[in-house]
């Protein structure tokens, strides 16, 4: 069996694990484990990003009626996470495979040292033929520290472990040119070279009452991964032998091409780790310089500042229409940028009384997304 990839991250949505029911579909889960075992025997390294903890918790507690609060969702996640990892451990053991659990929050990805520690753990598990099973630590995560959905978490996991393929399995066959739930004539988009605004318009909300991720979050995840040189496939988790077929490069689902020049490690962390603490709105000239000329973002091109932030944090960079062009680490705090925006770089010291360099966001600390 010829496998086209070295290391693969596989994300399984709640709708895939439950087959649309209220409980984990163990028969289907064992089939997915079988496919992953086939990859491993063929020399492919596998990382699993699994949803389903809250659904597993509801099932284990016999579907209690609980208030819709963060604390009760965390209760279900705390109960369900142990059930979920137990199920995966038992199912993979049928094929002689051990698993190891990593529960992550955004805080683990924002801190550079914790980010590197998580990467080392994943790599060590893989090197010992143990499948890393990753999920968000919903039992302790609040809205402020959550990644928010396992699509984006899986993309960050793919960056963490330097994967070359991310497979997002869902209850849809892939990305369609219109909503297949409403339009029976909707056509599957087999290949995507660039993710632009028109493509984002095609993405709807969550397709399942049990899950948190819809096609929009899958596009976000695909964009993160492809900027790091990782190919992405969105496909149905119930397509026969879907994992094996995707890894063998059969035409299944929607394939997103990787960008030819992947980001270096530090920029991958900027993209995958810290949440944006604010926003810089820039004019057309600055947008052209940043996107097409590979330039740093200077104060002259900044129209306004949104949010309160300290220097050294990650910001979104957007154009005058609100379109996100990139992310970068600011050399100045929000108050400083507000004073120097629209001014030439050589005026910074006279305005502030000091300067941290000509650029507000240096090119080395910036990830451009408009491509």
């Amino acid at each position: 069996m010829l496998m086209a990839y070295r290391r693969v991250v596989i994300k399984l949505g709640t709708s895939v694990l439950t087959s649309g029911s209220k409980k984990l579909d163990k028969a289907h889960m064992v089939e997915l484990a079988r496919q992953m075992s086939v990859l491993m025997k063929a020399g492919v390294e596998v990382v699993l990003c699994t949803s389903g903890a809250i659904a597993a918790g509801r099932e284990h507690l016999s579907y209690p009626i609980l208030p819709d609060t963060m604390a009760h969702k965390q209760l279900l996640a705390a109960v369900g996470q142990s059930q979920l990892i137990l199920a995966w451990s038992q199912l993979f053991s049928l094929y002689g495979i051990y698993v190891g659990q990593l529960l992550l929050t955004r805080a683990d990805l924002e801190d550079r040292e914790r980010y590197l520690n998580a990467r080392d753990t994943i790599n060590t598990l893989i090197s010992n033929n143990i499948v890393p099973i990753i999920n968000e630590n919903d039992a302790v995560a609040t809205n402020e520290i959550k990644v928010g959905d396992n699509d984006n978490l899986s993309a960050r996991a793919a960056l963490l472990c330097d994967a070359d393929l991310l497979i997002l399995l869902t209850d849809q066959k892939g990305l369609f040119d219109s909503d297949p739930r409403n339009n029976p004539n909707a056509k599957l988009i087999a290949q995507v070279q660039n993710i632009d605004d028109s493509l984002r318009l095609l993405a709807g909300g969550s397709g399942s009452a049990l899950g948190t991720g819809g096609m929009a979050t899958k596009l976000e995840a695909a964009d993160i991964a492809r900027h790091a040189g990782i190919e992405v496939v969105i496909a149905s988790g119930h397509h026969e032998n879907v994992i094996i077929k995707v890894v063998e490069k059969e035409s299944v689902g929607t394939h997103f091409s990787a960008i030819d020049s992947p980001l270096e490690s530090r920029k991958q962390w900027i993209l995958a780790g810290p949440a944006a603490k604010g926003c810089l709105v820039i004019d057309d000239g600055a947008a052209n310089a940043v996107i097409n000329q590979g330039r740093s973002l200077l104060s002259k091109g900044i129209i306004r500042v949104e949010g309160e932030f300290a220097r050294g944090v990650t910001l979104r960079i957007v154009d005058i229409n609100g379109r996100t062009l990139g992310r970068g680490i600011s050399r100045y705090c929000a108050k400083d940028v507000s004073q120097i925006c629209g001014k030439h770089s050589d005026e910074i010291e006279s305005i502030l009384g000091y300067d941290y360099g000509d650029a507000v966001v240096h090119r080395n600390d910036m990830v451009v997304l408009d491509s």
Side-chain angles (χ1 to χ4, degrees):
M1 181 178 294
L2 180 62
M3 296 296 180
Y5 301 95
R6 170 190 56 87
R7 182 174 292 181
V8 178
V9 173
I10 300 164
K11 184 268 176 177
L12 301 174
T14 300
S15 59
V16 173
L17 299 178
T18 61
S19 298
S21 70
K22 291 184 177 181
K23 63 181 181 179
L24 297 178
D25 183 350
K26 301 289 182 59
H28 188 55
M29 289 172 67
V30 74
E31 164 58 16
L32 295 169
R34 180 196 68 80
Q35 293 181 51
M36 286 181 266
S37 74
V38 170
L39 300 192
M40 294 179 70
K41 289 176 183 177
V44 178
E45 297 166 340
V46 172
V47 176
L48 174 60
C49 188
T50 180
S51 301
I54 290 178
R58 290 188 191 278
E59 177 185 356
H60 189 66
L61 296 176
S62 301
Y63 312 103
I65 299 175
L66 299 172
D68 188 22
T69 66
M70 174 66 73
H72 286 90
K73 290 178 181 177
Q74 291 174 324
L75 176 155
L76 292 171
V79 172
Q81 190 60 51
S82 60
Q83 298 302 309
L84 183 63
I85 196 66
L86 175 62
W88 280 122
S89 180
Q90 292 172 338
L91 296 176
F92 273 104
S93 70
L94 297 174
Y95 304 99
I97 297 171
Y98 293 99
V99 303
Q101 178 178 247
L102 283 85
L103 298 178
L104 302 174
T105 66
R106 181 179 286 280
D108 298 309
L109 302 174
E110 288 188 356
D111 182 88
R112 180 65 171 168
E113 183 175 358
R114 289 163 70 174
Y115 178 93
L116 295 174
N117 287 340
R119 185 185 67 180
D120 291 344
T121 300
I122 292 174
N123 286 332
T124 303
L125 288 168
I126 291 172
S127 66
N128 285 275
N129 297 314
I130 298 171
V131 175
I133 297 185
I134 300 172
N135 198 359
E136 180 132 38
N137 195 353
D138 289 320
V140 301
T142 61
N143 287 332
E144 289 75 22
I145 65 170
K146 284 174 69 67
V147 175
D149 62 86
N150 275 347
D151 294 319
N152 275 284
L153 182 62
S154 67
R156 287 157 170 81
L159 270 66
L160 266 177
C161 69
D162 191 28
D164 44 16
L165 174 66
L166 169 62
I167 305 175
L168 302 172
L169 295 183
T170 182
D171 55 0
Q172 297 292 326
K173 294 180 180 179
L175 180 66
F176 286 79
D177 60 4
S178 62
D179 192 338
R181 294 171 294 186
N182 302 325
N183 180 10
N185 296 317
K187 294 181 180 179
L188 179 69
I189 300 173
Q191 184 71 38
V192 174
Q193 297 292 340
N194 293 296
I195 297 176
D196 54 21
D197 290 341
S198 63
L199 196 66
R200 293 184 182 95
L201 287 174
L202 297 176
S206 175
S208 168
L210 296 173
T212 58
M215 199 57 71
T217 62
K218 289 171 179 59
L219 280 187
E220 292 173 5
D223 212 20
I224 289 171
R226 60 192 290 273
H227 274 86
I230 301 168
E231 294 180 41
V232 182
V233 173
I234 300 174
S236 168
H238 287 84
H239 187 101
E240 184 179 2
N241 278 326
V242 59
I243 295 173
I244 296 172
K245 288 179 178 178
V246 169
V247 175
E248 290 183 327
K249 288 203 168 185
E250 290 192 30
S251 182
V252 179
T254 301
H255 177 270
F256 296 79
S257 300
I259 289 177
D260 290 337
S261 301
L263 304 171
E264 64 265 27
S265 176
R266 175 172 168 77
K267 290 193 175 183
Q268 289 188 18
W269 175 71
I270 293 172
L271 183 62
K277 304 296 185 183
C279 179
L280 301 178
V281 181
I282 66 176
D283 62 27
D284 290 340
N288 179 63
V290 165
I291 295 169
N292 299 319
Q293 300 176 32
R295 305 290 294 276
S296 298
L297 176 58
L298 305 180
S299 54
K300 178 65 175 176
I302 300 173
I303 297 174
R304 68 176 182 274
V305 180
E306 296 179 357
E308 295 293 331
F309 52 85
R311 65 185 301 258
V313 304
T314 301
L315 306 176
R316 284 194 310 128
I317 302 168
V318 307
D319 65 14
I320 56 177
N321 297 313
R323 180 179 56 174
T324 298
L325 305 179
R327 290 162 59 95
I329 297 175
S330 177
R331 293 187 169 187
Y332 294 87
C333 69
K335 181 180 178 181
D336 288 349
V337 181
S338 295
Q339 294 183 66
I340 63 176
C341 64
K343 307 295 185 182
H344 288 287
S345 298
D346 57 12
E347 298 179 78
I348 292 177
E349 185 171 3
S350 64
I351 294 172
L352 300 179
Y354 52 84
D355 75 75
Y356 296 115
D358 292 343
V360 174
V361 180
H362 193 276
R363 186 67 185 186
N364 293 342
D365 295 327
M366 187 191 308
V367 178
V368 175
L369 299 178
D370 193 56
S371 59

